[in-house]
Amino acid sequence: MEYKFSHIGIPTTEEKEWDGFFEPGKVHFTEFDKDEFLVEWVKFDADSPWHELVTTKPHVAYLVDNIEEAIQGKEVIVEAFSPAEGVRVVFIAHNGSPVEFMEVKA
């Protein structure tokens, strides 16, 4: 399995110039690809259903070719979802921290 670095996500309670809102996760986000250092800021609504690790700790995100293969034997904390057409995302817990895997199909 090859993991290609994508971005780092940092939870905040501060207001930012949000690029979007993902309703199912109740999360406001900035576009990491617009940031010089590939930082994605995320702010979760109080009633976000996502795992506490994701809502309170920074995560590192990797591009993978196959999400199912990437999560084998891992502790999934946010089930796979599609935030945009051709994109699938899942979060796992790794040594007490969240890790995001992204699968992008053209």
Side-chain angles (χ1 to χ4, degrees):
M1 171 61 55
E2 182 178 336
Y3 304 98
K4 181 181 177 194
F5 177 77
S6 172
H7 67 275
I8 185 165
I10 303 175
T12 184
T13 56
E14 297 174 6
E15 286 303 323
K16 304 277 183 194
E17 290 188 26
W18 303 113
D19 293 312
F21 178 71
F22 183 66
E23 177 66 36
K26 302 210 176 181
V27 58
H28 307 261
F29 61 90
T30 61
E31 296 284 350
F32 61 84
D33 56 353
K34 293 181 182 177
D35 185 80
E36 177 181 12
F37 301 107
L38 299 172
V39 173
E40 171 192 47
W41 291 97
V42 288
K43 180 176 176 255
F44 295 88
D45 288 354
D47 59 345
S48 173
W50 283 5
H51 194 281
E52 182 180 14
L53 281 181
V54 177
T55 63
T56 61
K57 293 187 179 243
H59 69 268
V60 63
Y62 295 96
L63 293 170
V64 297
D65 291 332
N66 184 297
I67 278 186
E68 284 74 21
E69 185 179 332
I71 64 172
Q72 281 188 336
K74 310 286 192 291
E75 179 187 355
V76 174
I77 56 174
V78 175
E79 295 292 333
F81 64 95
S82 179
E85 188 174 335
V87 178
R88 289 179 54 214
V89 172
V90 67
F91 285 86
I92 66 161
H94 176 70
N95 293 330
S97 294
V99 173
E100 177 182 358
F101 295 141
M102 300 173 59
E103 179 185 285
V104 179
K105 301 290 184 189

